């Protein structure tokens, strides 16, 4: 069985002083995926015995960024996305193994007043086509901060957040279409009625009150969903406004 972990760290250098290394070692994942590292190459010297790491850096300093630490050396590594218009923000690393692909992704936020929603819509279509192409070749596991709560159960205050970034009809329709295109949200597959969140605003003491959103996902191609053994949210792990999430799967 494989154990994968994903975490939007909201700045890797910042979370290093908040127990990141302790959690990394204690969780002992086969692969540990990161989003929002907010790094440029050479700005951190971080390695773990027994792991190789692969990084996608944004051109803009202190912005976005993704990485994967993996115990198993991949057959191939794809840094970034195969679309020029989406390939400057450090949003994806994809590793190919003998029997499957593993990808970390950080989906663009639609931002205040939905300034970036039109771009986000194009991203969603291009990303969906990309993962469908990969899944047509071999099973795919992808994870990360997808910046959307799919259904009302996935956030505390669905009515007051309707039409806000992360819970617009447009964004929800895109993840729904993605899931209808041969993919499974592993957490909701196992726990259809569980109200549990992975992100909380820093405002209004939201985390202590558990007024959150579930916007971090492990998604698998439908051909391996029956191999999923557990999907977890490590909500007790602090250091970021996101909690890490985990997937246990037979691969």
């Amino acid at each position: 069985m494989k154990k994968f972990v994903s975490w939007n760290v909201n700045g890797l250098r910042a979370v290093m002083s908040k127990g990141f290394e302790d959690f990394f070692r204690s969780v002992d994942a086969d692969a540990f995926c990161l989003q929002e590292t907010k790094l440029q190459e050479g700005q951190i010297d971080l390695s773990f015995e027994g792991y190789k790491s692969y990084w996608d850096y944004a051109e803009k300093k202190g912005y976005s960024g993704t990485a994967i630490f993996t115990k198993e050396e991949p057959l191939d590594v794809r840094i970034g996305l195969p679309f020029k218009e989406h390939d400057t923000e450090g949003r994806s690393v994809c590793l190919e193994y003998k029997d499957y692909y593993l990808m970390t992704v950080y989906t663009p936020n639609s931002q205040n007043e939905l300034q970036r929603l039109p771009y986000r819509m194009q991203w969603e279509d291009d990303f969906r086509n990309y993962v469908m192409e990969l899944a047509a070749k071999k099973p795919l596991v992808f994870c990360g901060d997808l910046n959307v709560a799919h259904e009302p159960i996935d956030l505390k205050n669905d009515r007051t957040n309707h039409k806000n970034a992360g819970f617009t009809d447009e964004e929800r329709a895109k993840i729904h279409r993605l899931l209808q295109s041969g993919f499974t949200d592993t957490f909701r597959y196992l726990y259809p009625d569980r109200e549990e969140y992975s992100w909380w605003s820093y405002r209004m003491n939201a985390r202590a009150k558990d007024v959150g959103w579930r916007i971090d996902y492990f998604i698998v191609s439908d051909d391996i969903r029956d191999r999923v053994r557990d999907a977890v949210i490590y909500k007790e792990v602090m250091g970021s406004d996101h909690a890490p999430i985990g997937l246990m799967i037979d691969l």
Side-chain angles (χ1 to χ4, degrees):
M1 187 174 69
K2 297 288 187 182
K3 178 195 281 188
F4 300 136
V5 170
S6 174
W7 196 4
N8 179 324
V9 291
N10 193 13
L12 183 55
R13 286 172 293 180
V15 83
M16 288 293 291
S17 64
K18 301 173 182 176
F20 174 80
E21 292 180 272
D22 290 339
F23 174 66
F24 185 102
R25 291 189 174 95
S26 68
V27 78
D28 192 28
D30 293 287
F32 197 115
C33 302
L34 300 175
Q35 305 89 45
E36 213 171 353
T37 57
K38 297 184 178 180
L39 288 171
Q40 304 299 119
E41 188 170 6
Q43 286 190 311
I44 195 170
D45 182 16
L46 179 62
S47 62
F48 293 95
E49 186 176 354
Y51 289 86
K52 290 182 175 292
S53 62
Y54 303 92
W55 303 74
D56 189 17
Y57 304 102
E59 291 181 2
K60 182 179 176 181
K61 290 184 178 180
Y63 182 73
S64 191
T66 50
I68 301 180
F69 287 79
T70 176
K71 288 182 178 179
E72 181 182 356
E73 188 165 354
L75 302 176
D76 188 40
V77 180
R78 302 184 184 197
I79 303 297
L81 295 166
F83 311 98
K84 287 184 179 180
E85 62 271 34
H86 304 314
D87 201 31
T88 63
E89 297 186 350
R91 293 192 177 273
S92 176
V93 177
C94 180
L95 307 183
E96 180 181 359
Y97 298 101
K98 179 177 179 291
D99 298 318
Y100 64 96
Y101 292 102
L102 174 66
M103 178 194 294
T104 182
V105 62
Y106 178 39
T107 301
N109 191 302
S110 295
Q111 299 184 348
N112 292 336
E113 299 180 0
L114 305 181
Q115 297 172 32
R116 222 178 180 201
L117 183 61
Y119 171 73
R120 167 74 176 266
M121 294 296 97
Q122 185 60 52
W123 157 282
E124 293 282 0
D125 291 340
D126 292 339
F127 180 76
R128 183 181 65 255
N129 290 333
Y130 178 48
V131 294
M132 288 175 66
E133 287 176 12
L134 291 175
K137 298 174 184 176
K138 61 178 68 175
L140 170 64
V141 177
F142 72 89
C143 62
D145 175 2
L146 302 189
N147 264 314
V148 61
H150 182 207
E151 299 289 359
I153 193 176
D154 295 314
L155 73 168
K156 188 71 171 182
N157 296 320
D158 59 288
R159 291 183 181 178
T160 56
N161 280 295
H162 183 218
K163 299 187 178 180
N164 287 343
F167 200 60
T168 62
D169 294 338
E170 294 91 337
E171 291 163 315
R172 294 175 61 204
K174 291 297 186 185
I175 191 171
H176 186 74
R177 185 175 176 189
L178 170 70
L179 295 172
Q180 292 296 308
S181 300
F183 298 96
T184 296
D185 171 359
T186 58
F187 182 87
R188 194 55 70 210
Y189 176 67
L190 293 180
Y191 306 110
D193 301 315
R194 183 176 292 183
E195 296 181 28
E196 200 167 339
Y197 311 120
S198 66
W199 174 82
W200 303 262
S201 170
Y202 281 132
R203 296 176 292 178
M204 306 291 290
N205 208 23
R207 189 160 188 168
K209 298 175 182 176
D210 201 25
V211 179
W213 301 49
R214 190 177 71 91
I215 60 175
D216 300 271
Y217 297 80
F218 266 101
I219 290 178
V220 301
S221 49
D222 285 348
D223 53 351
I224 54 171
R225 69 182 177 186
D226 62 345
R227 302 187 203 174
V228 173
R229 297 296 169 251
D230 202 4
V232 299
I233 301 175
Y234 300 97
K235 56 186 177 182
E236 74 283 356
V237 177
M238 309 299 282
S240 169
D241 51 349
H242 293 253
I245 60 172
L247 176 71
M248 278 58 84
I249 184 170
D250 290 327
L251 287 172

